[in-house]
Amino acid sequence: DAGVTQSPTHLIKTRGQHVTLRCSPISGHKSVSWYQQVLGQGPQFIFQYYEKEERGRGNFPDRFSARQFPNYSSELNVNALLLGDSALYLCASSLEAGARQFFGPGTRLTVL
Amino acid sequence: EDQVTQSPEALRLQEGESSSLNCSYTVSGLRGLFWYRQDPGKGPEFLFTLYSAGEEKEKERLKATLTKKESFLHITAPKPEDSATYLCAVQAGVRSNFGNEKLTFGTGTRLTIIP
């Protein structure tokens, strides 16, 4: 079975631009979470979605937004990019509440 | 606010030299403690979930244990392929119907096994 997939793999943007990252969960998984991992740090929670509804939000500015589609895939959008947004963005899916979260390979975003 | 602290930050071991990684946590209502392995440039790979103090789980050369304040990841006779960053995360708060799935991670322990 395919794992969590994310696209694109790498992305380079300049300050002030907008970016959209995409995630496809494992088949049958209905919950998707997004994390930001800055180099040398642990992942930090951004959002969780289940059945197209936001179920959790981390301490990130309103420039960050997300949505989930009927097929349970998800998008993370970041507006007005800052240098500090450079990070590995991870998507994770889970089958049920409290179960292990399976992570995708991540999207490496570089903001110049 | 939930807090997770991992130590040491980095650990270098000779092949076959056993050791332990520590994860101490402060949370309001622990629902689960998770261990992940992360290779450079890749997403975390799930290792274990522990739910209550006294619980232990094993997989090959790894064994995870849990107390009310910390968890240990014991590595027995490690091999070079065990080199990676090991992340600890907690899930806390009241369980709801697919809400509150947030994981709070520590900064990880970077483990290097020297042949």
Side-chain angles (χ1 to χ4, degrees), chain A residues 86-108:
Chain A
S86 295
L88 181 68
Y89 288 84
L90 296 163
C91 173
S93 72
S94 60
L95 181 61
E96 56 189 12
R100 68 184 74 171
Q101 293 184 25
F102 292 85
F103 283 83
T107 293
R108 170 70 63 189

Side-chain angles (χ1 to χ4, degrees), chain B residues 74-115:
Chain B
H74 307 278
I75 302 176
T76 302
K79 299 181 178 181
E81 54 261 42
D82 295 322
S83 297
T85 294
Y86 290 83
L87 295 165
C88 170
V90 296
Q91 196 171 63
V94 177
R95 184 184 301 277
S96 64
N97 186 25
F98 266 101
N100 203 15
E101 296 298 299
K102 168 187 175 182
L103 291 175
T104 299
F105 282 86
T107 54
T109 293
R110 188 173 67 254
L111 177 66
T112 303
I113 307 300
I114 304 165

Side-chain angles (χ1 to χ4, degrees), chain B residues 3-5 7 9 13 22 24 29-31 34 36 40 47 49 51 65 68 78 80 84 93 95 100-101 112-113:
Chain B
Q3 286 191 323
V4 178
T5 302
S7 63
E9 289 185 7
L13 299 172
N22 177 264
S24 61
L30 180 72
R31 286 164 46 200
F34 299 77
Y36 285 86
L47 293 174
T49 308
Y51 294 104
T65 63
K68 288 186 178 180
R95 184 184 301 277
N100 203 15
E101 296 298 299
T112 303
I113 307 300

Side-chain angles (χ1 to χ4, degrees), chain A residues 4-11 21-23 34-37 87-92 102-109, chain B residues 38 41-44:
Chain A
V4 177
T5 59
Q6 293 186 243
S7 63
T9 304
H10 296 90
L11 204 52
L21 311 181
R22 296 178 174 83
C23 170
W34 287 94
Y35 293 83
Q36 179 196 65
Q37 186 175 25
L88 181 68
Y89 288 84
L90 296 163
C91 173
F102 292 85
F103 283 83
T107 293
R108 170 70 63 189
L109 173 64
Chain B
Q38 187 173 30
K42 297 188 177 181

Side-chain angles (χ1 to χ4, degrees), chain A residues 46-61:
Chain A
I46 310 176
F47 287 110
Q48 186 221 342
Y49 276 77
Y50 175 66
E51 290 286 9
K52 297 175 289 181
E53 289 188 9
E54 181 183 304
R55 298 299 183 114
R57 173 186 285 256
N59 188 24
F60 279 80

Side-chain angles (χ1 to χ4, degrees), chain A:
Chain A
D1 286 343
V4 177
T5 59
Q6 293 186 243
S7 63
T9 304
H10 296 90
L11 204 52
I12 298 175
K13 293 284 189 179
T14 57
R15 283 177 295 176
Q17 285 189 311
H18 162 271
V19 68
T20 297
L21 311 181
R22 296 178 174 83
C23 170
S24 292
I26 292 172
S27 177
H29 288 195
K30 298 181 180 180
S31 177
V32 170
S33 297
W34 287 94
Y35 293 83
Q36 179 196 65
Q37 186 175 25
V38 173
L39 196 62
Q41 300 295 314
Q44 188 171 0
F45 175 76
I46 310 176
F47 287 110
Q48 186 221 342
Y49 276 77
Y50 175 66
E51 290 286 9
K52 297 175 289 181
E53 289 188 9
E54 181 183 304
R55 298 299 183 114
R57 173 186 285 256
N59 188 24
F60 279 80
D62 291 343
R63 299 185 295 107
F64 288 76
S65 64
R67 55 178 176 168
Q68 186 177 34
F69 299 98
N71 66 353
Y72 305 114
S73 66
S74 178
E75 280 183 357
L76 176 70
N77 295 282
V78 186
N79 293 322
L81 285 168
L82 303 174
L83 295 179
D85 295 331
S86 295
L88 181 68
Y89 288 84
L90 296 163
C91 173
S93 72
S94 60
L95 181 61
E96 56 189 12
R100 68 184 74 171
Q101 293 184 25
F102 292 85
F103 283 83
T107 293
R108 170 70 63 189
L109 173 64
T110 301
V111 182
L112 302 177

